Amino acid sequence: AQVKVEVISDGTTTAYTSEVSGAMTNAEWRDIAWNGLIFCAVSRNGNIATSPDGMTWTARTSPGARTWQHIIWTGKLFVIHNEDSYPNCYTAVSPDGINWTSSAALPSTQWTIEAIAYGKGIFTALGGAYCSYSYNGLDWIQAANHPGGSGNWVAIEYNGDKFVTADDDRSMTSSNGIDWTLHAGALSGGAGGFYSDIRWNGSVFLAIDSGIS
């Protein structure tokens, strides 16, 4: 199977579209990040690939055959996490998208990671009712379970001041990535699903609903 890549030059116009082969074939690609020099993509088949232009991809040695789900760039490190639950929940870090170091399996107290973000020198991770934090992306410390309880807390965004996450009609905020405040009824709940992503544009947070109840 081949993967379709579209390079959109200005956010509205597709500059060119191509079926890419090689490193991008036969994998379920889930997320991608840019560090100013290269794109780095991860798949739930355990694959990792990098590209300088989005078209030419090189396979990289993965730190494990794991279901990699998300990738972020912190300004110094790429950080990835997989979608499996305890005892197979892992993170991994890389300064360049090529050389990777894996964490040990996260403890049962963090059960799973659904979202991860970086800000104020700290990584924060949410999964179900659990919250953990790390100073290097590898060694994780359990924080007190957040007040949101079990839910679809699958995206976190940091705006330079606070962390924000959302689920159904609720949101949570944290000034330090460790202690969270629940804001029940803060959101409309969209189409009855959960908020699958949230982004900051410099002025407002934008949350998008999955539309799946």
Side-chain angles (χ1 to χ4, degrees):
Q2 289 197 329
V3 176
K4 184 178 181 180
V5 171
E6 294 195 27
V7 178
I8 304 174
S9 59
D10 60 0
T12 61
T13 305
T14 301
Y16 51 94
T17 303
S18 177
E19 300 284 347
V20 296
S21 58
M24 295 295 281
T25 59
N26 302 316
E28 296 180 45
W29 296 97
R30 287 303 179 90
D31 205 6
I32 191 168
W34 168 256
N35 73 347
L37 295 174
I38 62 167
F39 293 100
C40 187
V42 296
S43 86
R44 71 183 310 272
N45 306 85
N47 306 70
I48 296 176
T50 61
S51 170
D53 56 8
M55 297 305 299
T56 304
W57 291 88
T58 302
R60 303 301 182 182
T61 301
S62 174
R66 301 181 180 120
T67 55
W68 301 120
Q69 182 75 357
H70 293 299
I71 179 170
I72 64 171
W73 169 251
T74 70
K76 293 183 179 180
L77 290 172
F78 286 108
V79 182
I80 60 178
H81 72 83
N82 67 335
E83 64 180 4
D84 292 331
S85 57
Y86 174 82
N88 297 305
C89 183
Y90 293 88
T91 61
V93 303
S94 171
D96 54 13
I98 300 171
N99 302 291
W100 290 88
T101 301
S102 175
S103 70
L106 272 67
S108 59
T109 50
Q110 181 53 52
W111 193 253
T112 188
I113 292 179
E114 293 179 333
I116 192 169
Y118 178 81
K120 295 184 177 180
I122 194 171
F123 296 91
T124 183
L126 298 177
Y130 305 100
C131 176
S132 291
Y133 62 97
S134 171
Y135 294 103
N136 60 10
L138 296 174
D139 303 306
W140 292 88
I141 302 166
Q142 183 194 17
N145 288 358
H146 64 72
S150 296
N152 293 299
W153 306 101
V154 300
I156 312 171
E157 180 73 329
Y158 176 70
N159 74 343
D161 176 55
K162 61 185 176 182
F163 298 89
V164 176
T165 183
D167 168 47
D168 194 14
D169 65 342
R170 306 174 297 165
S171 68
M172 291 195 300
T173 58
S174 173
S175 62
N176 59 12
I178 301 173
D179 305 301
W180 292 86
T181 300
L182 178 66
H183 307 280
L187 303 171
S188 65
F194 58 89
Y195 287 91
S196 56
D197 208 356
I198 184 169
R199 288 289 182 265
W200 169 256
N201 74 346
S203 300
V204 297
F205 288 96
L206 174 67
I208 186 169
D209 191 288
S210 68
I212 300 174
S213 58

